[in-house]
Amino acid sequence: MNRRPFALYTAMLVGYAFLYIPIFSVIAYSFNASRVSTVWGGFSLRWYGELLANEQLLDAVQRSFTIAAITATAAVALGTASGLALSRFGRFPGRGLLSLMNSAPMVMPDVMIGLSSLLLFVTLQQAFDWPSRGMTTITLAHITLTACYVTVVVRSRMTSMDESLEEAAMDLGARPWRVFFVITLPLIAPALLAGWLLAFTLSLDDLVIASFTSGPGSSTLPMVVYSKVKLGVTPEINALATIIVVAVALGVSLAGIAMHRRARNVP
């Protein structure tokens, strides 16, 4: 009897259990009637109602989604321009510096990005009375972090793309801007979507950089959750986590179904 597959499946099962049992426990205790999240007091939907009535959490959710959407859109614009320059323009003055600037935020600790952003914004506010720390500063710092990830995604897509299509369009008299919008942009659209989703997720999930660059009344959802769990996990946080997990799982499932149907339709 070959025991290698059995050992492999056992290790895989233990690994998945280690990852997902805490998530399932959070979902289960979100329906707990007791105020103490670790003591089961019966099934109840009470905390979902409490969550919907919590203005602080709802404001933080709206603020975080707004910042993430603006960040992702700006990061895609900057990342596309950087990816296009690095993959299509060959050697030009400043190419090495641009490549270094796109790589630095990915390897630099978030604490350093947050601290340097804070010092920059404080200096600018003292010199020009702008920007005041709040949603604007958080968004600018998140754009700095996420644009490099979009650059990597777009650059890898453009590097693997067949350049003969663009060359044929230009040979037929198309202007460079028309080639980009008619030929290049549709071909890299999946990379742009992937970069947008990645930037959105990174911005929505960030705690460290937002803690450095936020101001009064501009706390994001991770900051509010962190401030609450320092005193113990409350059932409202479990309910919020359950909604997020269900929304993510639903989105991933729909994307998987769409990709499966598209793969079946491809001859």
Side-chain angles (χ1 to χ4, degrees):
M1 178 179 178
N2 190 357
R3 296 185 177 180
R4 181 171 295 180
F6 177 76
L8 180 62
Y9 293 144
T10 301
M12 183 177 65
L13 180 62
V14 171
Y16 278 115
F18 179 80
L19 292 174
Y20 286 101
I21 285 179
I23 297 177
F24 291 142
S25 65
V26 167
I27 295 175
Y29 277 105
S30 69
F31 300 101
N32 185 12
S34 174
R35 179 172 291 275
V36 181
S37 60
T38 57
V39 178
W40 184 256
F43 182 85
S44 175
L45 296 175
R46 167 189 175 186
W47 302 111
Y48 288 90
E50 295 283 345
L51 174 63
L52 295 178
N54 192 320
E55 294 293 337
Q56 183 186 20
L57 278 175
L58 294 180
D59 290 342
V61 169
Q62 181 181 6
R63 189 177 300 112
S64 294
F65 273 85
T66 302
I67 292 173
I70 298 174
T71 296
T73 304
V76 166
L78 293 176
T80 302
S82 298
L84 180 64
L86 293 173
S87 61
R88 288 290 186 268
F89 290 176
R91 295 193 176 186
F92 57 88
R95 176 187 173 88
L97 179 60
L98 177 61
S99 180
L100 177 63
M101 292 175 61
N102 280 313
S103 302
M106 292 189 294
V107 299
M108 190 179 298
D110 288 350
V111 174
M112 296 303 300
I113 298 177
L115 179 59
S116 59
S117 299
L118 173 62
L119 295 176
L120 173 64
F121 295 142
V122 170
T123 303
L124 290 176
Q125 187 175 15
Q126 291 176 350
F128 305 103
D129 198 25
W130 183 90
S132 299
R133 282 197 292 162
M135 289 184 59
T136 301
T137 53
I138 296 175
T139 303
L140 292 175
H142 283 182
I143 292 172
T144 303
L145 172 67
T146 58
C148 59
Y149 290 92
V150 180
T151 300
V152 171
V153 175
V154 174
R155 184 182 180 184
S156 62
R157 172 58 180 149
M158 296 193 70
T159 302
S160 61
M161 192 175 68
D162 188 4
E163 297 184 30
S164 62
L165 297 175
E166 299 170 309
E167 294 173 353
M170 287 187 287
D171 289 340
L172 293 174
R175 300 276 185 180
W177 64 268
R178 186 173 181 83
V179 172
F180 176 76
F181 284 104
V182 177
I183 304 296
T184 308
L185 194 60
L187 291 176
I188 65 173
L192 298 182
L193 178 60
W196 194 94
L197 292 175
L198 179 60
F200 184 90
T201 303
L202 290 171
S203 175
L204 190 65
D205 185 60
D206 175 69
L207 171 64
V208 178
I209 297 176
S211 298
F212 278 96
T213 57
S214 64
S218 61
S219 297
T220 60
L221 179 60
M223 295 174 61
V224 173
V225 171
Y226 179 71
S227 65
K228 288 182 174 294
V229 299
K230 285 193 296 185
L231 302 176
V233 180
T234 62
E236 290 180 353
I237 300 301
N238 289 337
L240 176 63
T242 301
I243 293 175
I244 294 175
V245 169
V246 171
V248 171
L250 182 61
V252 172
S253 300
L254 293 176
I257 293 173
M259 292 177 62
H260 180 67
R261 290 182 176 178
R262 182 177 179 181
R264 289 180 60 185
N265 294 330
V266 174

